[in-house]
Amino acid sequence: MGQRVGVVGGGQLAWMMGKAAHDLGIDLVVQTPKRSDPAVAVAAETILDAIANAEATAQLAQQCDVITFENEFVDLEALGSLAEQGVKFAPRLSALAPLLDKYHQRQFFRNLGIATPEFEAWGDRSRSDSSLPPSFQFPVVLKARRHGYDGQGTHVLRSANEVQSVLDNQPEVDWLLEAFVPFERELAVMAARFADGSVVVYPVVETQQENQVCCRVMVLPDVPTDVAQQAEAIAQTVLNELEVIGIFGFEFFLTAEGRLLVNEIAPRTHNSGHYTLDACKTSQFEQQLRAVCGLSPGSIQMCCAGAVMVNLLGFELSQSDYQERRTALERIANAHVYWYGKTEARPGRKLGHVTVTLQGKNSSKLRRNADAIAQDVESIWYPSVSS
Ligand code: ADP
């Protein structure tokens, strides 16, 4: 009988594991709060409950051989007692422990000698004192230490008044204060580690965000080799240090001096790796399953010269399935359209994505093509702004 993999979280990441699971003969059992969540459609069984409910994860454990994560907003302490009872988590819980809180993540990097933006916990400072610690100057970034995603909980702030209004509006949140990095580009890489200790690292890609949300990923051969090597080395160090079994996403800032600073690690598949579904021999989703099921690594080789991935973000409150727009997107040459089947669109919500694979040898031509295709996709997807 094929293995049964439990997945905590049933969003689009778990949904995209569906095809790989099917091809590998693996059944997915998903823990997710709503019947309408994307991965329910591909799961053999579903535990309908909150991500952080460890009792639901105990039920999940009864139905599967190993549990992995598509969402890290878990109650790690409560899961700990399941691990003590023999429930197998991949990655193991101690690999998640330093990563779930953004402040702890920063401290973890600092202890490993990995460069990050300057940071400090806001916690001990009075909430009515919005002045910055002496080593900081505006602009700064305030980030919710936990449960931030897609830029929710991340605020770029230019004055003490702006800081005060964030503190006033969300008095219950614990904040991380960070220096604003005037980065040249944002880069990202997916890397997986296997039971035998081997590590595979996918190509380093460029991510582009608007309002702190990723809108595009460019997979192009124009990342300088020494920069790519820095990214790969950081990924290897972190995966080995934490003895990870599974796949992690790494996000970086590239400074004007060619230095990489780690922004964030996601202990799971990641938006910056969606291109692997169509552009690589083994997708990030298959790689995660291969790692957690004790299989050998799949090839990370690209099957095209480059790729561009564009997120289809919600731009209104609606229950539309946007069929017309999706059909138009499918007509773009070499386009692969993924629609997550969410029942409600909200501004900024990730509803789907499009990857277009590219051919050609000339790096600057590939970049121009990728830019033009991204503009095309966005002009089909987003309503035009009338002047
Ligand atoms: P989330 O976990 O919500 O994705 P991130 O910490 O990754 O939040 O931040 C989202 C985006 O905000 C980043 O991709 C980047 O564009 C911007 N950002 C975050 N931190 C900084 C920083 N210290 N300096 C400059 N930009 C930042």
Side-chain angles (χ1 to χ4, degrees):
M1 212 180 81
Q3 295 198 52
R4 283 169 82 86
V5 174
V7 186
V8 178
Q12 64 264 22
L13 299 175
W15 174 70
M16 284 183 269
M17 290 167 82
K19 183 176 180 301
H22 178 266
D23 294 349
L24 292 168
I26 291 168
D27 279 341
L28 299 181
V29 187
V30 167
Q31 175 183 344
T32 199
K34 293 203 213 103
R35 191 161 295 285
S36 59
D37 289 340
V40 173
V42 298
E45 309 275 350
T46 304
I47 309 284
L48 278 182
D49 219 316
I51 302 302
N53 184 346
E55 281 169 29
T57 312
Q59 283 176 42
L60 184 70
Q62 282 170 6
Q63 302 196 34
C64 37
D65 304 295
V66 57
I67 292 180
T68 191
F69 304 91
E70 76 110 57
N71 182 316
E72 64 275 26
F73 300 157
V74 293
D75 179 349
L76 211 53
E77 214 175 301
L79 293 184
S81 59
L82 297 183
E84 275 165 24
Q85 291 159 37
V87 173
K88 195 172 151 200
F89 292 98
R92 65 206 175 105
L93 301 181
S94 55
L96 299 184
L99 306 178
L100 301 192
D101 172 314
K102 285 181 198 262
Y103 176 61
H104 295 157
Q105 242 197 58
R106 291 262 175 273
Q107 287 179 313
F108 168 74
F109 299 139
R110 183 184 272 168
N111 292 340
L112 280 181
I114 294 173
T116 75
E118 288 304 315
F119 68 95
E120 212 168 272
W122 189 272
D124 298 336
R125 305 175 59 77
S126 155
R127 288 191 177 265
S128 56
D129 174 11
S130 53
S131 62
L132 298 180
S135 55
F136 286 81
Q137 51 194 2
F138 290 108
V140 292
V141 184
L142 263 190
K143 295 182 175 179
R145 287 175 53 167
R146 282 216 67 188
H147 300 124
Y149 70 100
D150 292 350
Q152 314 236 1
T154 292
H155 305 270
V156 178
L157 303 169
R158 295 191 157 71
S159 67
N161 279 347
E162 288 184 9
V163 170
Q164 195 59 56
S165 97
V166 170
L167 297 177
D168 290 347
N169 284 339
Q170 290 158 282
E172 71 294 351
V173 171
D174 279 334
W175 297 101
L176 165 71
L177 174 69
E178 211 171 86
F180 179 84
V181 180
F183 54 80
E184 200 94 314
R185 297 159 85 181
E186 288 189 83
L187 302 177
V189 75
M190 298 304 307
R193 186 172 177 279
F194 291 76
D196 65 358
S198 58
V199 173
V200 294
V201 187
Y202 281 92
V204 178
V205 303
E206 175 183 325
T207 64
Q208 299 179 357
Q209 354 288 318
E210 269 169 33
N211 301 323
Q212 286 86 53
V213 185
C214 175
C215 47
R216 299 169 172 188
V217 173
M218 299 289 181
V219 189
L220 296 169
D222 64 3
V223 177
T225 310
D226 63 311
V227 171
Q229 282 169 349
Q230 283 182 61
E232 284 160 21
I234 291 170
Q236 299 254 7
T237 303
V238 170
L239 292 185
N240 286 328
E241 176 70 24
L242 294 174
E243 295 179 25
V244 168
I245 306 288
I247 192 160
F248 277 19
F250 297 77
E251 297 178 81
F252 305 95
F253 300 124
L254 178 63
T255 67
E257 300 78 42
R259 235 175 122 230
L260 275 188
L261 307 178
V262 174
N263 175 30
E264 189 167 42
I265 299 182
R268 50 167 166 78
T269 55
H270 190 255
N271 195 179
S272 64
H274 289 359
Y275 76 93
T276 59
L277 280 167
D278 305 293
C280 295
K281 288 201 170 146
T282 312
S283 74
Q284 60 167 344
F285 305 100
E286 176 175 345
Q287 209 71 271
Q288 178 179 20
L289 288 171
R290 298 187 74 86
V292 308
C293 290
L295 304 175
S296 58
S299 165
I300 49 146
Q301 222 185 319
M302 294 220 3
C303 30
C304 48
V308 45
M309 192 284 317
V310 181
N311 277 332
L312 304 178
L313 301 174
F315 48 81
E316 61 182 357
L317 282 174
S318 164
Q319 300 195 335
S320 170
D321 65 0
Y322 298 102
Q323 189 56 59
E324 243 172 74
R325 282 181 161 87
R326 283 154 57 195
T327 308
L329 292 169
E330 273 157 12
R331 288 201 200 102
I332 297 174
N334 303 314
H336 304 264
V337 180
Y338 293 83
W339 186 249
Y340 307 150
K342 296 182 183 175
T343 48
E344 260 177 27
R346 286 194 300 272
R349 191 174 194 204
K350 288 175 180 164
L351 302 175
H353 75 265
V354 182
T355 299
V356 180
T357 54
L358 307 168
Q359 293 301 346
K361 288 204 170 66
N362 181 307
S363 171
S364 44
K365 216 165 154 184
L366 282 166
R367 162 71 60 176
R368 280 199 301 279
N369 278 348
D371 285 340
I373 290 167
Q375 272 175 25
D376 245 19
V377 170
E378 286 164 358
S379 69
I380 292 170
W381 175 250
Y382 294 103
S384 56
V385 188
S386 47
S387 49

